[in-house]
Amino acid sequence: MSDLIKLYNGTVTKDAADGTELSQNGTQTNPLSFTLNAAKEESSCQQIAIRCASGYKTYGDTVITAYHYNSETKKYEPNTGDTAKWFFAVGEYDSAANALTNAAWSNKLTISDVITDKNTLIWVKAASSKAEVPTNDTDESIHIEAVIEQA
C-alpha cells in the first residue's frame, strides 16, 4: 500500500478522519482479523475506512481486491491462496450482521466516487469452508489500485 492511501479499522465514521491505520506490507502491527469456525462454514464482516493522505484524492476508479503472499516468489498475487474467500461491499448498514445478510458482496470492489482525506466506508467479509484446517492465515492482503493526485 502507498503512504498516500490507507485503510483504517476500529471506530470509523463516514466523512471523518478517525480509525486506526491497518498494518501494511506484512508487518501485522494492526491486521484486519477474523476468527471463524470452518466446521460451521462461518463468515464474518467488518466495516473499515479508506482515505487518502491530507492534500490528496483519487482520480478515476479505485479497485479493491484480495491478494495472497506467495512465500516462494516473495510477491503478493491475485487469485491465489484464500483470496476467493474475501469479499468487499459498500452500503450503509446498522450492524455487521445486517451487512453480512444484505450487502452485495464481491471479490472485487470498484469505487467510482473520489476518495479524499475523509473516510469512505467499505465492508470486508472473510468466509471459511469445512475443507480448511485451523490456521492463523497471515498471507492474505487487501490490494488497492488507484491513481492519486493532489487535491
Side-chain angles (χ1 to χ4, degrees):
M1 224 179 313
S2 162
D3 286 335
L4 299 179
I5 191 165
K6 295 184 179 180
L7 298 171
Y8 300 84
N9 70 348
T11 301
V12 291
T13 310
K14 182 179 177 181
D15 296 326
D18 55 1
T20 304
E21 183 181 328
L22 286 171
S23 52
Q24 53 185 338
N25 301 325
T27 60
Q28 302 298 317
T29 54
N30 184 36
L32 187 61
S33 179
F34 294 94
T35 301
L36 305 172
N37 184 336
K40 295 180 180 178
E41 295 188 321
E42 286 182 335
S43 294
S44 183
C45 69
Q46 295 179 34
Q47 188 174 54
I48 65 172
I50 182 172
R51 71 174 179 262
C52 290
S54 180
Y56 292 90
K57 65 179 182 173
T58 58
Y59 174 81
D61 290 345
T62 299
V63 179
I64 301 171
T65 56
Y67 270 43
H68 174 79
Y69 183 74
N70 183 324
S71 59
E72 292 179 14
T73 63
K74 307 283 190 237
K75 294 180 182 179
Y76 286 94
E77 302 170 344
N79 307 314
T80 61
D82 285 330
T83 58
K85 296 178 184 174
W86 286 79
F87 304 89
F88 306 93
V90 294
E92 295 188 26
Y93 301 100
D94 60 354
S95 68
N98 193 2
L100 200 57
T101 303
N102 297 307
W105 296 104
S106 176
N107 296 107
K108 177 181 176 180
L109 176 64
T110 301
I111 300 172
S112 297
D113 293 337
V114 172
I115 297 171
T116 66
D117 60 355
K118 303 298 182 206
N119 289 343
T120 295
L121 301 181
I122 64 172
W123 290 89
V124 181
K125 177 174 93 169
S128 62
S129 70
K130 289 181 182 177
E132 293 180 70
V133 294
T135 185
N136 182 18
D137 186 352
T138 59
D139 292 332
E140 310 315 313
S141 179
I142 298 173
H143 179 77
I144 302 169
E145 291 180 29
V147 175
I148 308 295
E149 66 180 7
Q150 289 188 330

